[in-house]
Amino acid sequence: MFCRVISFFGVCFCATLSFSQITPLPEIKDWNARSKTVYSEQVARATPEELNSFMSETRGWLKANIQAGGVSRKEWNEVFDLYRWAKIKQTVQANPVIDRQIEPADWNVLITNPDLALDFLGELSTDDRPDEALLILVSIMKADQKEFDEFPALASAFALVWDSPRTNAYHFQVKAEVIPKNDLSVPQRFHLLAEASKKNQLKNDLSKLRTDELVFIVDSQLPASEWKWIHQKVRVNKSTLGEVYFSIVYDQNRLNQMKLDWPYPSYRLQDIKDKGGICVDQAYYAVEVARSYGIPSLYFEGTGRRGGHAWFGYLRGASGWDMDVGRFTYDNFTTGYSIHPQTRQQISDHELELMGRSIRKQAPYLKSDKLLQVAQLYLEDPSDINQAVNFLDQAIDTERRNDEAWKLKAVILEYSQGQEDVYEKHLRSMIAQFVSSSDLQFETQMKLIELLEKTGKSPEANILRKSIIRRQSGARHDMSLKLINDQLAAKLRKKDEAGALKEFEKAVGQFKRESGSVLDLMSGFVSDCLEAGQNDAAFKAMEVVKKNIVFDQLTQKYFDDFQKQVHLVISKKAE
């Protein structure tokens, strides 16, 4: 997550032009409803040259008025939103194909819609494609303006999810050609959900969900026939949604025969229901049913004692996410992984829990988030970095649980010369603040270890490493194993194969009950050995695993397949 905000640096705009047809901004005391209307129209019609000039002037205006309580003033926020729309329009103008499809009147409707400032602008991330997202937003708006105005967050969710190419499978154990193909446009999908919500056919009123919740509904490519089948054949209650996963009979014969890929010519939901399936099919079925009933949900995968497994999670409501449906306790799945529908980046269940906290709806968090946006504004000019840090400090003080503010400040300090002591202090404070958020705390600890090594404090770094491995060896052994894997790689880089093998054997002995995780560790270590030309060490490592862990069908197959692959790699290198 640290790298996510680096893109705020190096943002560069064209030099200010001496002439612009956009009227100079009035003083903040003179800004009113008429001003908003006039400037919205002018930005909507602005040429690239006029827009550059306007943005340069507006940045200065925003900074000049920030000290007079700007963040909390309606007038300042309206100009700030106008600036953000202008910034997006710049991106669109750089893509002539899309720019030609969006009329000034379309821009004006979007800019003057107050809901979109929060629902769209507020949720736009650095992973999104603003030009493609705008085109989708406009296509939904043009299809049905009234429905668009009723469900602005839903329209925003579609725009932010469908701005990049979709895949219609959550796993790779089914051939793409047997999955039912999407036959609906984005505006048609939007209408399908909006209409169903208005008719109370869903389990949530979609007009009351936030964009960051709705993105976990709209990421579905089911054709209309599948949607119809779900609503005709599957009955769902939010309180018993987990039963949908287990309603698919587990196909033990497929597992016994190790037919892990879907063996039939069609992957319709009815086929899964009639024929049964294994965990990946159960999870896929449950996620699609949940989303079709307007319930945010995600497909998860993870590694446990018996190897890989798939389950699903869904948003219960104000009480948060249930991410344990089909997640068997015995297997000790420390972490579930999925793909975030909007960013297309991997996300863990622990990160999702952090993102879904109810505090994000509360006034202190919203104010803190606005201060974070102001900091990003200052970061557009490298000379204003100190001011950016000042606003990040204000954001953190306003709501200390705003992890994005902490992370952005960490990135700035990491790339600032002569700030090592300040950076270290910030990381230590961050570790203390997010003690209950294990993934974020671990990520920050890894950054601290890296800094300590860089600044000649290796003994402190080693103490921290050993502390993490010891404390996380139980509930979060995945963190311990990641650190061990890094240590093994470091020893191999130093040509200390014997030391690496000794550490590997020690780790296998310590975590031998966690067969699936040990196999993952083996995979990484053996691959590193082969890359270093240490074939003997690779074979010894596999022998250590073979002697120490208890295999079942899946883990035995994984081990045998991996061993064959190793022999194949060595044979090819010898040719």
Side-chain angles (χ1 to χ4, degrees), residues 465-478:
R465 277 196 196 93
K466 291 177 182 178
S467 172
I468 296 171
I469 292 172
R470 184 180 64 255
R471 285 188 288 107
Q472 302 293 356
S473 61
R476 290 304 308 273
H477 63 264
D478 57 321

Side-chain angles (χ1 to χ4, degrees), residues 237-526:
N237 289 311
K238 284 177 72 174
S239 60
T240 57
L241 186 60
E243 295 175 3
V244 175
Y245 178 95
F246 295 104
S247 71
I248 302 303
V249 177
Y250 195 87
D251 191 344
Q252 189 64 40
N253 288 332
R254 265 180 66 192
L255 182 64
N256 293 340
Q257 298 171 36
M258 298 309 293
K259 292 182 178 179
L260 303 182
D261 291 343
W262 181 256
Y264 307 107
S266 172
Y267 202 57
R268 296 177 307 161
L269 296 173
Q270 183 173 349
D271 295 320
I272 299 173
K273 182 68 174 175
D274 292 343
K275 300 179 186 301
I278 56 177
C279 61
V280 291
D281 311 309
Q282 292 172 309
Y284 168 82
Y285 180 91
V287 169
E288 291 293 11
V289 168
R291 288 178 173 177
S292 294
Y293 273 105
I295 302 172
S297 60
L298 262 186
Y299 175 102
F300 285 107
E301 290 182 339
T303 300
R305 287 175 177 163
R306 292 178 290 180
H309 179 57
W311 64 93
F312 96 108
Y314 67 97
L315 185 63
R316 291 179 302 235
S319 59
W321 284 78
D322 180 348
M323 292 175 281
D324 296 327
V325 182
R327 183 179 188 156
F328 304 123
T329 305
Y330 167 78
D331 288 286
N332 194 21
F333 296 107
T334 57
T335 303
Y337 295 98
S338 189
I339 298 297
H340 193 289
Q342 179 181 350
T343 65
R344 308 312 296 167
Q345 302 297 317
Q346 187 182 76
I347 182 175
S348 73
D349 50 354
H350 309 293
E351 291 173 307
L352 181 60
E353 186 176 22
L354 185 64
M355 291 169 55
R357 296 172 303 176
S358 60
I359 63 162
R360 293 179 181 266
K361 300 178 182 179
Q362 297 169 6
Y365 189 93
L366 294 173
K367 182 178 179 181
S368 175
D369 192 55
K370 179 64 70 174
L371 290 164
L372 169 61
Q373 293 170 18
V374 173
Q376 292 166 359
L377 172 69
Y378 276 94
L379 281 177
E380 292 176 9
D381 183 347
S383 66
D384 281 338
I385 284 182
N386 289 337
Q387 278 284 41
V389 171
N390 175 46
F391 280 103
L392 287 172
D393 286 336
Q394 291 183 46
I396 291 169
D397 290 341
T398 301
E399 175 50 85
R400 295 191 66 79
R401 292 170 292 181
N402 186 346
D403 55 297
E404 292 295 328
W406 285 89
K407 288 184 283 189
L408 182 52
K409 182 179 177 181
V411 170
I412 294 172
L413 294 174
E414 181 181 4
Y415 287 87
S416 297
Q417 296 292 329
Q419 294 292 311
E420 289 82 6
D421 289 345
V422 179
Y423 181 34
E424 180 181 340
K425 182 179 179 181
H426 178 73
L427 291 177
R428 291 187 184 280
S429 297
M430 197 170 169
I431 290 167
Q433 172 62 39
F434 295 100
V435 67
S436 61
S437 303
S438 53
D439 281 61
L440 180 54
Q441 187 187 53
F442 176 69
E443 184 181 1
T444 310
Q445 288 171 325
M446 296 295 285
K447 283 289 183 181
L448 179 57
I449 288 172
E450 181 182 317
L451 175 64
L452 293 173
E453 293 280 11
K454 181 181 175 182
T455 54
K457 300 177 181 178
S458 295
E460 286 186 54
N462 289 330
I463 291 172
L464 181 55
R465 277 196 196 93
K466 291 177 182 178
S467 172
I468 296 171
I469 292 172
R470 184 180 64 255
R471 285 188 288 107
Q472 302 293 356
S473 61
R476 290 304 308 273
H477 63 264
D478 57 321
M479 294 180 177
S480 297
L481 288 170
K482 183 178 186 315
L483 268 175
I484 292 170
N485 183 66
D486 291 346
Q487 288 179 305
L488 296 175
K491 286 184 179 295
L492 287 176
R493 285 194 297 272
K494 294 177 181 178
K495 309 297 184 184
D496 183 11
E497 291 83 11
L501 196 58
K502 183 178 179 181
E503 286 294 324
F504 177 78
E505 189 169 3
K506 179 181 175 182
V508 171
Q510 182 179 356
F511 296 100
K512 61 184 178 181
R513 289 189 64 198
E514 312 300 337
S515 303
S517 298
V518 168
L519 288 174
D520 281 349
L521 180 68
M522 176 197 73
S523 175
F525 180 61
V526 169

